[in-house]
């Protein structure tokens, strides 16, 4: 719940991590059902700080896409029903725009133009927000999203879901030079499938005697070494990609947003690399998925374009700001 688009009145996150961890990754049908079960309680909790409850709400924003279609439909239908029954304006917001606006939300004086590196389970995009609502994608991944690569590598190492925090924990204080992984350098693009495959081969090359029945290295130091090497390689590629975009655009302000921006090695590397620029990396609770960032992007969209009509579609592949 935001006041005037920027002050967070409440932010309620219902995590499904425990539900999906049992399965080693997100199960789409379970995710949609869990949305259905928890949505009403989450909305009630978000409204709790408002003295007038729903009467104090002026507008609604909801994620339009991209994402798992079952989850998007549950959210959009709930929001559209609430808007219709209370006569409130509603806007459907791109998930990507939400992540970009988490930086605007995090730093009071942070206004466009800025570059945002959006790094999550579904995105690895460098976006230039020239002015509110006017965005251009400068670079994107050719294959896996970086968060997806963290999750897959963690799985190969026998670490729990979600993989990002697990890899960060295993990598802490470990020399990243023990296992050499290839560094991918692309112009105006990212790629993570090469390093993921290299991890697979590095594990295989240990030989069957050093792997357990799941094919996971038995030796904890090996797991930690590979985790550290992968993390360093991934962070290095992200920072280089962002630096290229800064050079090309002459940007003076950069933000790193999305779930992977919670990574402490990435946060440290970005702060160090872009010392002369204004750098915003939101607090952890605004990096991973949250409703406040969707409300912030929705608030701007409402000012610019007015409300959407009820019955607007969800779009699991939507990747732009429109
Ligand atoms: O933005 P997000 O919460 O959801 C999506 O929109 O995908 O991002 C989730 C991703 C997962 O891939 C997760 O492993 C990764 O963010 N992640 C991290 C860390 N915390 C979450 N990756 C690296 N280091 C972390 N500390
Ligand atoms: Zn996200």
């Amino acid at each position: 719940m935001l006041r005037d688009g920027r002050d967070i009145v409440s932010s309620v996150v219902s995590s499904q991590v425990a539900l999906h961890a049992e399965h080693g990754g997100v199960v789409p049908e379970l995710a949609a059902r869990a949305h259905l079960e928890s949505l009403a309680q989450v909305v009630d909790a978000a409204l709790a700080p408002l003295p007038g409850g729903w009467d104090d709400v002026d507008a609604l924003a909801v994620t339009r896409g991209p994402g798992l279609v079952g989850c998007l439909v549950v959210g959009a239908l709930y929001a559209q029903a609430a808007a219709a029954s209370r006569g409130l304006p509603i806007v459907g917001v791109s998930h990507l725009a939400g992540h970009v606006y988490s930086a605007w939300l995090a730093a009071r004086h942070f206004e466009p133009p800025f570059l945002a590196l959006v790094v999550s389970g579904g995105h690895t995009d460098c976006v230039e927000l020239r002015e509110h609502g006017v965005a251009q994608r400068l670079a994107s991944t050719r294959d896996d999203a970086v968060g997806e690569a963290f999750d897959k590598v963690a799985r190969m190492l026998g670490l729990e879901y979600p993989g990002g925090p697990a890899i960060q924990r295993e990598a802490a204080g470990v020399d990243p030079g023990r296992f050499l992984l290839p560094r991918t350098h692309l112009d105006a693009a990212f790629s993570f499938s090469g390093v993921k495959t290299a991890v697979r081969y590095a594990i295989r090359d240990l030989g069957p005697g050093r792997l357990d029945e799941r094919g996971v290295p038995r030796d904890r130091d090996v797991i930690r070494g590979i985790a550290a090497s992968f993390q360093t390689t991934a962070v290095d590629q992200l920072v280089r990609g962002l630096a290229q975009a800064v050079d090309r655009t002459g940007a003076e302000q950069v933000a790193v947003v999305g779930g992977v921006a919670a990574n402490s090695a990435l946060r440290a590397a970005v702060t160090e690399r872009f010392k002369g620029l204004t750098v915003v990396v939101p607090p952890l609770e605004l990096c991973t998925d949250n409703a406040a960032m969707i409300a912030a992007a929705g608030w701007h969209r409402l000012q610019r374009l007015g409300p959407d009509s009820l019955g607007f579609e969800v779009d699991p592949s939507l990747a732009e700001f429109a």
Side-chain angles (χ1 to χ4, degrees):
M1 189 79 58
L2 296 186
R3 183 179 290 118
D4 300 330
R6 207 161 202 176
D7 296 322
I8 299 177
V9 175
S10 59
S11 180
V12 181
V13 174
S14 168
S15 171
Q16 295 186 11
V17 163
L19 174 70
H20 298 298
E22 276 178 44
H23 304 275
V26 174
V27 183
E29 182 173 335
L30 292 181
R33 287 176 189 274
H35 272 69
L36 197 55
E37 279 163 23
S38 56
L39 198 42
Q41 291 155 41
V42 168
V43 170
D44 282 351
L47 288 170
L50 300 181
W54 272 110
D55 289 345
D56 292 347
V57 177
D58 299 317
L60 294 172
V62 65
T63 306
R64 183 194 283 265
L68 296 174
V69 72
C71 304
L72 294 170
V73 165
V74 169
L77 275 180
Y78 190 97
Q80 292 195 30
S85 64
R86 298 176 193 280
L88 294 172
I90 184 169
V91 282
V93 174
S94 142
H95 188 77
L96 185 70
H99 276 303
V100 170
Y101 271 94
S102 71
W104 179 82
L105 204 48
R108 191 136 282 278
H109 301 293
F110 197 58
E111 291 291 338
F114 62 79
L115 291 188
L117 180 67
V118 185
V119 280
S120 72
H123 284 290
T124 312
D125 290 294
C126 187
V127 174
E128 183 179 21
L129 189 66
R130 294 201 177 134
E131 52 188 89
H132 289 296
V134 182
Q136 191 184 0
R137 195 180 346 203
L138 303 175
S140 191
T141 181
R142 296 230 172 117
D143 38 62
D144 292 357
V146 61
E148 193 184 346
F150 266 94
D151 294 338
K152 286 180 180 164
V153 167
R155 210 176 166 152
M156 290 184 236
L157 294 175
L159 305 173
E160 78 272 22
Y161 171 87
I167 288 194
Q168 174 177 319
R169 194 186 56 235
E170 297 301 314
V174 176
D175 171 16
R178 180 169 163 200
F179 292 88
L180 286 180
L181 299 175
R183 306 221 157 186
T184 310
H185 299 305
L186 297 177
D187 208 21
F190 299 98
S191 168
F192 293 94
S193 74
V195 62
K196 186 188 66 189
T197 306
V199 167
R200 180 167 292 124
Y201 289 153
I203 293 171
R204 190 196 59 187
D205 292 347
L206 293 168
R210 297 179 66 191
L211 304 179
D212 69 13
E213 60 292 345
R214 297 169 299 166
V216 168
R218 291 182 198 278
D219 183 347
R220 184 70 191 272
D221 284 342
V222 168
I223 292 175
R224 302 193 70 192
I226 294 176
S229 183
F230 168 76
Q231 178 174 267
T232 301
T233 308
V235 166
D236 180 69
Q237 190 190 143
L238 293 172
V239 173
R240 277 169 187 262
L242 182 56
Q244 276 180 4
V246 167
D247 288 346
R248 269 207 316 281
T249 55
E252 291 171 0
Q253 308 195 96
V254 297
V256 184
V257 298
V260 180
N263 184 272
S264 53
L266 178 59
R267 297 170 83 89
V270 165
T271 310
E272 172 63 28
R273 178 69 177 75
F274 301 105
K275 258 184 186 149
L277 308 184
T278 302
V279 179
V280 172
V281 191
L284 303 194
E285 63 276 14
L286 287 177
C287 289
T288 43
D289 284 349
N290 64 89
M293 69 185 194
I294 302 298
W299 187 79
H300 281 284
R301 191 182 151 99
L302 189 62
Q303 318 287 312
R304 253 183 17 260
L305 301 175
D308 284 309
S309 56
L310 287 173
F312 67 79
E313 292 171 14
V314 302
D315 181 349
S317 62
L318 184 87
E320 304 301 339
F321 272 58

